[in-house]
Amino acid sequence: NAGVMQNPRHLVRRRGQEARLRCSPMKGHSHVYWYRQLPEEGLKFMVYLQKENIIDESGMPKERFSAEFPKEGPSILRIQQVVRGDSAAYFCASSPAKGAEGYTFGSGTRLTVV
Amino acid sequence: AQSVTQPDIHITVSEGASLELRCNYSYGATPYLFWYVQSPGQGLQLLLKYFSGDTLVQGIKGFEAEFKRSQSSFNLRKPSVHWSDAAEYFCAVGDKRTSGTYKYIFGTGTRLKVLA
């Protein structure tokens, strides 16, 4: 059981480029969550998805950020026209059902915008 | 609004000493509470969780936590710290949506340093 897989582990983008972060949930998990961790801050919820559906995107910035979890393939967090303030660690987590038992986290993608 | 407060940003203890990390929450109903640990450059690993029942819960790596409703606290403890426990620790509360699913709200974390 490979756990939650995120790639890439590190991503460097120039200002204005696009960043695509991938997350494959644990086998058997159909719920995916994205969190952002800024330096010296805790994890901030961004979005919750099930297959082909966005359930809760209350933590997503209104512009430049989008997420999907297609029927086949990993969940993608996409950041368009990145800015320096987007530099952070982005964590994906998954759960098998409604998440009452807690989440399993991936190792994160550390995005650096130069 | 639901929230989690970890009042200690940094804590330093000597190896072999006891440890207590504080967590206070604000939640209207009986909360689902969690402690996670994050080693440098890694994701978060679940240490323990509380849903109901016995207010003292045991977790992995020798950690335990006690739920105290009267104090809205869920402090994490370990009787004897090992150097490998140096990490960042996050407390979280599960916020139940009307749909029945859960969103987890995390504290800002406590960074533990262990002195040899």
Side-chain angles (χ1 to χ4, degrees):
Chain A
N1 196 341
V4 178
M5 304 301 294
Q6 288 189 250
N7 67 81
R9 289 293 302 273
H10 300 274
L11 181 62
V12 179
R13 284 288 177 265
R14 296 185 185 279
R15 281 178 292 171
Q17 290 184 320
E18 177 181 288
R20 292 171 68 88
L21 288 63
R22 296 174 186 77
C23 169
S24 296
M26 275 189 73
K27 187 176 181 180
H29 287 192
S30 57
H31 299 240
V32 166
Y33 316 84
W34 286 94
Y35 281 77
R36 177 164 63 175
Q37 183 180 33
L38 292 166
E40 305 301 322
E41 295 188 20
L43 281 80
K44 301 295 185 185
F45 169 79
M46 298 183 74
V47 62
Y48 159 37
L49 310 102
Q50 294 180 30
K51 283 286 187 181
E52 299 185 279
N53 288 300
I54 297 175
I55 307 301
D56 181 352
E57 56 182 347
S58 58
M60 286 277 273
K62 293 289 186 279
E63 298 177 351
R64 303 187 296 108
F65 285 73
S66 62
E68 62 177 11
F69 189 17
K71 187 176 180 180
E72 301 291 338
S75 175
I76 305 288
L77 179 68
R78 182 182 178 203
I79 311 172
Q80 295 178 290
Q81 300 174 339
V82 296
V83 300
R84 290 243 172 93
D86 296 333
S87 295
Y90 292 84
F91 289 95
C92 172
S94 69
S95 69
K98 295 183 176 181
E101 298 290 315
Y103 301 160
T104 300
F105 279 85
S107 296
T109 294
R110 278 142 187 89
L111 172 65
T112 302
V113 179
V114 297
Chain B
Q2 293 79 7
S3 64
V4 176
T5 302
Q6 293 181 249
D8 304 306
I9 298 173
H10 298 277
I11 281 188
T12 300
V13 299
S14 298
E15 190 170 20
S18 64
L19 172 70
E20 183 169 28
L21 302 182
R22 295 184 290 165
C23 172
N24 294 97
Y25 67 89
S26 172
Y27 192 71
T30 300
Y32 284 16
L33 294 162
F34 303 80
W35 275 99
Y36 285 85
V37 60
Q38 183 182 29
S39 297
Q42 299 298 314
L44 278 73
Q45 181 184 21
L46 181 65
L47 281 176
L48 48 77
K49 56 191 175 186
Y50 171 79
F51 295 155
S52 64
D54 193 347
T55 56
L56 185 64
V57 293
Q58 303 296 322
I60 63 171
K61 304 185 179 186
F63 285 92
E64 66 178 26
E66 186 171 13
F67 170 61
K68 293 185 177 180
R69 183 188 299 276
S70 61
Q71 299 177 20
S72 297
S73 69
F74 188 57
N75 294 348
L76 182 71
R77 301 195 294 247
K78 187 169 184 177
S80 178
V81 170
H82 188 263
W83 64 267
S84 61
D85 293 325
E88 190 152 21
Y89 292 80
F90 291 94
C91 181
V93 63
D95 181 15
K96 190 174 183 178
R97 300 182 180 89
T98 53
S99 63
T101 60
Y102 285 82
K103 179 170 76 176
Y104 292 103
I105 299 165
F106 286 82
T108 51
T110 297
R111 192 176 300 273
L112 174 66
K113 183 177 179 181
V114 180
L115 301 176

